[in-house]
Amino acid sequence: MNEVAGAEDAVGRLAAYAGILPEYLDVRHERHVTSSETQRALLAAMGIPVASDADAVATLAAREASALQRLLAPVAVFRTDDAPLSLELAVPTSLAERPLAWLLTAERGESWRGSLVPAVLLQTEARAIDGVAYARYRLTLPVTAATLGEGYHRFELQGGDDAASAATTLIVAPSRCYESAALADGGRVWGPSVQLYSIRSRRNWGIGDLTDLRHVIEFAAAVGAGIVGLNPLHVLSSVAPQHASPYNPSSRIRALRGGAPRGGERGLPGKAPLAARGRARRVPRQLRRETGDHGAPLSLLSRAAPRAR
């Protein structure tokens, strides 16, 4: 690989563009620095040309030029404790004296309006691209992230033509992860971690249900526990139900109802009618005969499953 001046800096800046962290702390709180070789490998996997030093420098120059030719970045991310909010806008210097109207609309519907002239704002960068002079300016908004609130908000700039018009999404995220009041100021709680399907009880059929979970919660609370950790209860695949895993859901926003029934105090296996138990024993043979390796249709499972009485 031929050495090119500024290549390592170019790789690092491209990695930052791509969201690759320069370092991180592991679970033991040990610091790990992302090497240039790792950055190059990750960038290459993302389809960003960095095979040679010359590629890295050229790719960075092209990306920075493209960013400077956009009036606004497609998105800006803030935390709720950020104040003030600042956005950067880029315009050809020939248009920097032209006034622009702006509109900020919060997710909940509240809005703010104003106008600006780029040339009177703080200039943070200037560069010529293909013979055209561009400059980047910083605009400070008259609202704080806390005023906007967490969510997705829209900021629009409007000039006299399309070249001076753009919009971006402002994302306001929490300043930190949610913390229960019980954990504030160094508080601690304890409790069991439970895989619902592994719970065994006198009343279930070998797989725990929501009634069993209620009993676990009541028991944990009685002995002073503050939490019960639970495996995901997402909707599983209906195409291949035999590949059941709570960590491979078909939907991450809906709960699995059929696989975690509420259950009741009746319906013990020993009380199932003999005919029903016979049908249950025939399920594997029926599945092989009617569905092969493609899984059983729900109608077949419902016919074969024993019913409590």
Side-chain angles (χ1 to χ4, degrees):
M1 182 180 295
N2 296 325
E3 293 187 2
V4 175
E8 291 306 305
D9 178 62
V11 170
R13 289 162 68 182
L14 284 171
Y17 271 122
I20 300 172
L21 294 178
E23 61 183 39
Y24 68 94
L25 296 177
D26 65 17
V27 68
R28 298 180 180 84
H29 217 67
E30 295 178 358
R31 179 172 171 266
H32 298 268
V33 176
T34 308
S35 67
S36 178
E37 291 75 16
T38 298
Q39 290 176 334
R40 285 180 184 269
L42 292 173
L43 289 169
M46 296 177 182
I48 300 174
V50 289
S52 67
D53 288 351
D55 287 339
V57 172
T59 300
L60 176 64
R63 294 216 165 203
E64 290 183 338
S66 176
L68 197 57
Q69 290 173 304
R70 298 187 62 151
L71 182 55
L72 291 170
V75 66
V77 181
F78 304 95
R79 297 179 185 271
T80 50
D81 54 0
D82 285 345
L85 295 185
S86 296
L87 290 175
E88 292 200 338
L89 54 117
V91 296
T93 54
S94 60
L95 303 178
E97 300 287 346
R98 293 175 54 177
L100 299 173
W102 61 263
L103 170 65
L104 173 59
T105 305
E107 185 178 275
R108 62 178 180 269
E110 190 176 359
S111 63
W112 296 262
R113 296 176 181 272
S115 61
L116 62 91
V117 176
V120 303
L121 301 176
L122 174 65
Q123 181 177 308
T124 60
E125 184 180 358
R127 185 189 305 182
I129 302 173
D130 296 331
V132 178
Y134 289 86
R136 192 186 303 277
Y137 302 91
R138 181 170 298 156
L139 168 66
T140 299
L141 297 175
V143 296
T144 64
T147 301
L148 282 177
E150 297 171 8
Y152 297 84
H153 317 288
R154 183 174 177 83
F155 179 81
E156 301 173 65
L157 280 176
Q158 185 64 52
D161 52 46
D162 291 341
S165 301
T168 186
T169 298
L170 307 187
I171 301 176
V172 177
S175 57
R176 58 171 298 167
C177 294
Y178 169 77
E179 182 180 46
S180 168
L183 300 177
D185 300 322
R188 301 180 68 181
V189 296
W190 67 273
S193 179
V194 174
Q195 303 293 323
L196 181 58
Y197 50 81
S198 69
I199 296 177
R200 301 291 185 267
S201 68
R202 292 180 179 274
R203 52 154 301 282
N204 73 29
W205 287 52
I207 296 178
D209 56 32
L210 297 183
T211 298
D212 295 311
L213 177 60
R214 185 192 69 198
H215 293 162
V216 169
I217 293 172
E218 291 171 348
F219 170 80
V223 297
I227 60 171
V228 171
L230 186 64
N231 64 279
L233 298 180
H234 297 129
V235 177
L236 303 182
S237 172
S238 59
V239 177
Q242 74 276 20
H243 297 157
S245 169
Y247 305 100
N248 186 30
S250 60
S251 172
R252 297 184 183 275
I253 62 174
R254 297 186 182 278
L256 175 62
R257 296 184 181 277
R262 183 169 299 279
E265 300 307 323
R266 301 177 60 191
L268 299 178
K271 294 185 178 180
L274 291 177
R277 280 185 269 166
R279 288 198 302 273
R281 285 195 294 270
R282 291 198 300 273
V283 168
R285 184 178 302 170
Q286 287 178 278
L287 296 185
R288 290 194 297 271
R289 183 171 64 250
E290 298 189 22
T291 67
D293 294 327
H294 302 293
L298 296 179
S299 58
L300 175 58
L301 292 176
S302 62
R303 291 201 309 271
R307 297 181 182 276
R309 292 187 178 178

